[in-house]
Amino acid sequence: MTVSLGIDFGTSGARLVAIDTDRNVLWWGTSALSVGTWRETLFALIREVPPEIKSRVDRIAIDGTSSTVLCCDASGQIVGAPILYNDDRGKTELERLKAFVPAGHLVLSATSSLAKLCWLAAQPEILDRSRYFLHQADWLVAQLHGKLGFSDYHNALKLGYDVESLGYPNWLDCHPYRPLLPQVLAPGTHIGKVLPQVALELGLAADCVICAGTTDSIAAFIASTASTPGSAVTSLGSTLVIKLLSQTRVEDVRYGIYSHRWGDLWLVGGASNTGGAVLRHFFSDAELVSLSQEIDPDLPSELDYYPLLTPGDRFPINDPNLPPRLTPRPDRDRDFLHGLLTGIAKIEAHGYQLLAELGATPLTSIQTAGGGANNPTWTKIRQRYLPVPISISQHQEAAYGTALLAQRGQ
């Protein structure tokens, strides 16, 4: 029986899941993450897989945070430093983008991959040494198969790739930095076999195939059982991400709403900077558990918070200058946490309401993934603001979804 590996590079950590052909989890591993150790973390996670499992691995796929990007040279060495998903330095390039990008296009956002490319292209010390512009997942899989310049159409969406016609649009084909852009494949496509030296170093079979990846939030959706139009997944990790399976494609840059291709359907949603990272800024994990138990979720919080750590959000308000709203802070930590949980719940509800108003398939159910799914108090608070039943995804790890993607392949 063969084994597929899925590896998730999230906001603060990396995770690996190994599954067999019956989708049973055989192994999982996790590691803390920093930008300078992506390759080391990837290799360390694979090394930890027991040899009796690893010898049967025939496919590997990796997901990364959407719109985390980098430039690299012809040998794959990163030029400069990667730019993370929520970095809004691209706001300085928006006026230049408007000169050739169609009005209202989703790349007209301070955090889009294309905005970041334009910022990088304005840095001669980076541009002169760069051969490829890649997403986090693109670069990581290249460490295994050695073929630079490939991406998938989930990651490439915020680069301007047209997922309906499956090609770069004319306005992007004419861009002077077009040669840096990756060749785009369907997620799960077999790119190539693992490099012989990498297979030897990591103990992988020589014929192990490396696949095109996806984004972390889409991997979380794949991991769920959501499969019919109207079903949705909310990922409550460091950030808040919602994905609704819709028969209608919906995009609106004003709200940071976009649609990923999903076969003949669309995954509609957006990603906010609010979420677990805000909670952990103020409370430890143990405090979050104990204080949540003190909250009565049936009583509304009177606090009107928009929980952000720094100015700027991407969804459901796409404004790089949006100020956080975290005051007044009550004397009791329990009440403060109640206000934060309620504020994030309201942002989630607002997001789903906008999807409905813009014509997405009506919401019928929500599954929850990520660490926040394990907080029953938060679930009850969210249920007060959401019009459909909430359940916990059976498999909450994005890495599980990425393993399924590898298993399906193309």
Side-chain angles (χ1 to χ4, degrees):
M1 186 176 287
T2 59
V3 174
S4 298
L5 291 189
I7 304 170
D8 163 49
F9 272 70
T11 304
S12 58
R15 300 162 187 84
L16 177 149
V17 169
I19 64 172
D20 62 20
T21 51
D22 293 326
R23 301 184 175 185
N24 299 311
V25 175
L26 304 178
W27 176 261
W28 66 272
T30 185
S31 175
L33 186 64
S34 64
V35 172
T37 61
W38 285 354
R39 187 179 191 276
E40 291 78 4
T41 300
L42 171 63
F43 279 36
L45 282 170
I46 297 175
R47 284 194 191 98
E48 290 174 2
V49 180
E52 64 272 19
I53 296 175
K54 191 159 44 179
S55 63
R56 293 187 282 131
V57 172
D58 68 341
R59 295 184 182 93
I60 300 175
I62 301 175
D63 73 75
T65 47
S66 175
S67 204
T68 292
V69 297
L70 56 91
C71 284
C72 65
D73 62 20
S75 66
Q77 294 297 310
I78 297 176
V79 179
I83 303 179
L84 299 183
Y85 66 97
N86 60 350
D87 190 308
D88 67 354
R89 72 184 72 185
K91 61 188 177 185
T92 61
E93 305 302 314
L94 290 180
E95 290 304 314
R96 294 178 190 168
L97 284 173
K98 290 176 182 177
F100 65 93
V101 176
H105 197 283
L106 68 92
V107 300
L108 294 173
S109 169
T111 58
S112 76
S113 300
L114 188 59
K116 290 167 182 168
L117 171 59
C118 287
W119 184 90
L120 286 165
Q123 320 304 313
E125 69 279 9
I126 294 177
L127 182 63
D128 292 347
R129 297 164 51 205
S130 297
R131 174 75 178 275
Y132 301 102
F133 179 75
L134 300 173
H135 302 87
Q136 181 184 36
D138 308 338
W139 186 83
L140 283 164
V141 293
Q143 305 310 298
L144 300 177
H145 58 56
K147 298 180 180 181
L148 294 163
F150 289 93
S151 187
D152 63 88
Y153 61 58
H154 289 159
N155 272 294
L157 180 72
K158 295 180 183 177
L159 187 53
Y161 185 80
D162 188 336
V163 294
E164 200 151 18
S165 65
L166 296 179
Y168 286 111
N170 291 336
W171 55 262
L172 193 51
D173 263 334
C174 300
H175 195 276
Y177 310 120
R178 173 66 178 84
L180 297 176
L181 303 187
Q183 178 181 340
V184 180
L185 307 172
T189 300
H190 296 177
I191 299 177
K193 293 180 181 179
V194 63
L195 288 167
Q197 63 269 32
V198 172
L200 184 64
E201 179 181 351
L202 299 181
L204 292 167
D207 59 352
C208 177
V209 171
I210 312 303
C211 307
T214 184
T215 67
D216 54 349
S217 59
I218 291 185
F221 189 93
I222 296 172
S224 76
T225 57
S227 60
T228 58
S231 56
V233 172
T234 294
S235 297
L236 291 175
S238 298
T239 58
L240 164 71
V241 184
I242 71 173
K243 299 290 184 191
L244 167 68
L245 194 58
S246 174
Q247 293 171 312
T248 307
R249 183 180 185 180
V250 175
E251 293 185 350
D252 197 315
V253 71
R254 295 174 300 170
Y255 310 116
I257 292 172
Y258 50 90
S259 293
H260 282 282
R261 189 184 185 105
W262 191 260
D264 295 330
L265 301 172
W266 299 96
L267 270 182
V268 182
S272 171
N273 291 338
T274 195
V278 180
L279 303 180
R280 286 195 175 94
H281 178 77
F282 295 104
F283 303 108
S284 67
D285 287 348
E287 288 172 329
L288 288 172
V289 172
S290 61
L291 290 172
S292 293
Q293 293 172 347
E294 298 178 19
I295 295 171
D296 184 348
D298 295 323
L299 296 178
S301 171
E302 297 181 357
L303 299 166
D304 183 24
Y305 289 161
Y306 197 105
L308 297 170
L309 292 180
T310 57
D313 202 6
R314 300 171 286 158
F315 165 84
I317 301 173
N318 188 9
D319 179 358
N321 301 308
L322 184 72
R325 197 163 63 242
L326 296 167
T327 57
R329 176 163 181 168
D331 294 333
R332 292 187 295 188
D333 286 344
R334 176 196 68 188
D335 296 336
F336 182 48
L337 177 59
H338 192 183
L340 292 175
L341 296 177
T342 299
I344 297 171
K346 288 181 177 179
I347 292 171
E348 178 189 6
H350 183 201
Y352 281 117
Q353 180 183 356
L354 283 172
L355 298 188
E357 292 174 357
L358 293 171
T361 296
L363 182 67
T364 58
S365 65
I366 298 174
Q367 294 186 46
T368 310
N374 301 314
N375 186 325
T377 299
W378 199 2
T379 299
K380 291 179 180 178
I381 291 173
R382 293 169 56 224
Q383 189 66 80
R384 294 182 68 247
Y385 294 96
L386 293 166
V388 298
I390 301 173
S391 62
I392 298 176
S393 295
Q394 180 181 357
H395 296 283
Q396 298 177 35
E397 290 288 353
Y400 182 84
T402 307
L404 289 177
L405 178 68
Q407 186 182 80
R408 295 168 186 170
Q410 284 204 12

